[in-house]
Amino acid sequence: MISVVLPCYNEEDNICNLLKRLNSVCASQADIEWSLLFVNDGSNDHTLEALKGFIHSDCSWCRPSVIDFARN
């Protein structure tokens, strides 16, 4: 298993592109189990909502989770 920690701070405009790229890279490595830990570092935009939507989606190639800090 490969675990990746991704810090996020006000990444609302970039998070969808990041998730698409992660999807293409990780899905192409089907023999590896991926664990993605997103750390929302007190964002004051919609970063957290986007991350929650991703972790509740049907992700067959990874185990995503989110840690949410109230402030940066």
Side-chain angles (χ1 to χ4, degrees), residues 4 22 37 43 54-55:
V4 181
L22 283 171
L37 175 60
S43 296
F54 175 66
I55 65 168

Side-chain angles (χ1 to χ4, degrees), residues 12-36:
E12 174 183 15
D13 295 335
N14 302 314
I15 202 74
C16 287
N17 287 333
L18 171 65
L19 297 175
K20 286 178 189 176
R21 289 179 183 207
L22 283 171
N23 185 42
S24 66
V25 170
C26 297
S28 70
Q29 304 293 321
D31 56 328
I32 299 173
E33 185 177 350
W34 295 88
S35 173
L36 303 177

Side-chain angles (χ1 to χ4, degrees), residues 37-67:
L37 175 60
F38 296 92
V39 180
N40 183 41
D41 199 11
S43 296
N44 54 20
D45 62 359
H46 296 285
T47 299
L48 181 59
E49 289 81 6
L51 293 173
K52 285 182 177 179
F54 175 66
I55 65 168
H56 289 91
S57 67
D58 183 25
C59 187
S60 61
W61 53 269
C62 74
R63 294 188 331 206
S65 56
V66 174
I67 294 176

